[in-house]
Amino acid sequence: MSEDVPLLDDLMPWAVGSLRLGRDWVAAPDPAALRARWAALTGSEGAERERLFRPSRSRRPDAGAAALPGQRSAATARFTDAPGPCPDPVRVLREPFDEQWLLPDQRLIDVARPELWRVRDAHQLFLVETPDPLVTAHLPVGRLGRIRPLHRRPGGAEPNLAPGLLPLLGARHGGWVAPEDVLCWILAAGRPGPRGYEVPLAADPAHWRAGLELGHRLLGVQLRGARGGEPPRLPGGRRPYVRSAVAGWPHEPAYDAESETLSLGGGTVSPVPAGAWEYEAQGVRVLPAWFAARTAHRSPDADGLAALGPAEWPQSWTSELLSLVTTLALLAELAPERAAFEPGPGLPAETLRAAGVLPPPASARRPASVLDHQEEGPGGQFALL
């Protein structure tokens, strides 16, 4: 790559830092555990509530906070005065490929990023800047990279793309180019570089079409059936099945490469391709990390609200495991194709500058004004934004 190659930071100019929870107990793999934690917290008083809450400089039980956009039932009074009803847990991406649940109450979250909640809807996709960026339909939380929403406004309006990029690509490649097409191209052609994440833009239609075809397959696998799509499947009918049910609490997952069998205590799942078992994200093997997150509440180190979790292994987790195995296996199979993909001659930076694509205006790096209603601030006052 060279300085003539555009950066992801310029092609998707608006980026937001990751959400910082401040206390692990507000997120969990099981929504029932979150409701149990809420009940335990609200049923406590005084010093015990303070201990369970785990105060930080940003959040304390004696302070209020604004309601998160889109969460109309969220309370805004001081937690010590009126906790309110337990908010319905929402699906989030906690770690790469690990979908969990979150209590959407800004009084409990150190840095909740309301600007992301304002544009979170059924049309939105989030690109997460990991060494190999991944895309999710769920709000990313925790120790992930910077977050780039595909759309700047609710309803899939105003793409988070450099102004002029879509018309330029459409004219160059002879057809309509959708925002999701650019996202797919980034997945296929983007690579880390010394200046940041570099995304060469194909100059000829043949390479562009090849990149889109690969990128759409990568996107479909990563979304795992979200937004009404078809869940990905392994080719040739090699679908992982539960050979024996998971009962009790398995201590550690074990893998037998010869039989392609994943064991969780007395439970077994197969076939599990080796590529799925060995798949890593951010230098961590995904399947063992996924399992560890679901047994964390049983760890001797777990205390307070974080120690509240299922007494038995939920059947829903086994279903999630089957889906995750399929996703990782398909990504492992696509990895060599993606690594070998050549975007061909790229559009010169001068062409992008002449079209007004580069550099993006400063306004494109700021959130759009998306308020079509008033938001409730701390203590029931309307928020001033």
Side-chain angles (χ1 to χ4, degrees):
M1 302 295 180
S2 71
E3 293 187 3
D4 207 38
V5 176
L7 299 176
L8 173 63
D9 189 53
D10 292 327
L11 298 183
M12 296 186 74
W14 179 38
V16 180
S18 60
L19 281 72
R20 296 201 299 272
L21 300 182
R23 47 203 54 80
D24 285 342
W25 63 261
V26 301
D30 177 46
L34 293 179
R35 295 187 177 94
R37 293 172 184 181
W38 179 276
L41 181 64
T42 56
S44 61
E45 296 180 350
E48 177 64 6
R49 175 177 286 186
E50 186 94 355
R51 183 187 73 83
L52 292 175
F53 189 95
R54 293 186 180 271
S56 64
R57 287 186 298 175
S58 299
R59 292 290 181 262
R60 299 184 56 83
D62 57 1
L68 284 173
Q71 307 300 310
R72 299 184 184 277
S73 64
T76 60
R78 296 191 307 169
F79 202 91
T80 50
D81 296 337
C86 180
D88 290 334
V90 299
R91 199 67 156 155
V92 295
L93 184 74
R94 186 76 188 280
E95 298 290 349
F97 307 105
D98 188 352
E99 296 174 359
Q100 297 190 21
W101 299 87
L102 174 73
L103 288 172
D105 189 324
Q106 190 161 202
R107 297 174 300 174
L108 310 179
I109 303 172
D110 276 10
V111 182
R113 309 293 185 190
E115 61 271 40
L116 291 178
W117 291 84
R118 292 189 186 106
V119 299
R120 168 185 171 269
D121 62 15
H123 302 275
Q124 188 65 270
L125 294 176
F126 299 99
L127 183 145
V128 184
E129 285 190 44
T130 61
D132 281 321
L134 59 91
V135 177
T136 175
H138 305 298
L139 190 64
V141 305
R143 299 177 297 274
L144 295 168
R146 288 175 65 78
I147 303 164
R148 297 183 187 272
L150 180 57
H151 303 289
R152 291 169 50 81
R153 299 178 187 273
E158 189 179 339
N160 179 25
L161 297 172
L165 178 61
L166 292 178
L168 173 65
L169 293 174
R172 188 83 186 197
H173 301 308
W176 169 257
V177 175
E180 198 167 294
D181 290 331
V182 178
L183 190 64
C184 291
W185 177 263
I186 291 169
L187 290 179
R191 300 290 186 272
R195 301 179 301 125
Y197 202 77
E198 299 177 335
V199 185
L201 297 172
D204 68 273
H207 284 90
W208 173 254
R209 288 193 297 270
L212 287 193
E213 193 276 333
L214 173 59
H216 276 282
R217 282 189 284 147
L218 287 165
L219 180 64
V221 173
Q222 290 193 12
L223 291 183
R224 300 164 64 176
R227 300 201 316 174
E230 284 291 326
R233 298 181 183 277
L234 287 167
R238 298 185 69 249
R239 180 179 178 182
Y241 286 95
V242 177
R243 306 301 176 180
S244 55
V246 180
W249 275 100
H251 296 290
E252 293 288 343
Y255 180 69
D256 181 74
E258 185 175 353
S259 62
E260 293 189 324
T261 298
L262 176 63
S263 299
L264 297 175
T268 55
V269 173
S270 68
V272 176
W277 174 248
E278 296 167 359
Y279 196 91
E280 292 187 357
Q282 296 181 315
V284 177
R285 290 168 62 193
V286 172
L287 281 175
W290 179 92
F291 177 84
R294 277 144 188 81
T295 55
H297 68 284
R298 298 176 61 84
S299 166
D301 297 329
D303 65 349
L305 298 177
L308 295 180
E312 297 182 352
W313 181 272
Q315 185 177 353
S316 62
W317 287 0
T318 304
S319 300
E320 290 180 23
L321 175 61
L322 297 177
S323 172
L324 180 58
V325 165
T326 300
T327 296
L328 299 181
L330 288 171
L331 290 175
E333 291 181 1
L334 285 169
E337 184 177 350
R338 180 181 180 273
F341 176 71
E342 291 290 342
L347 289 174
E350 183 56 41
T351 300
L352 298 173
R353 285 191 288 267
V357 175
L358 297 180
S363 59
R365 299 193 183 278
R366 298 191 293 267
S369 175
V370 301
L371 292 181
D372 57 3
H373 63 277
Q374 290 178 308
E375 294 178 4
E376 189 176 345
Q381 302 295 318
F382 284 123
L384 299 177
L385 299 125

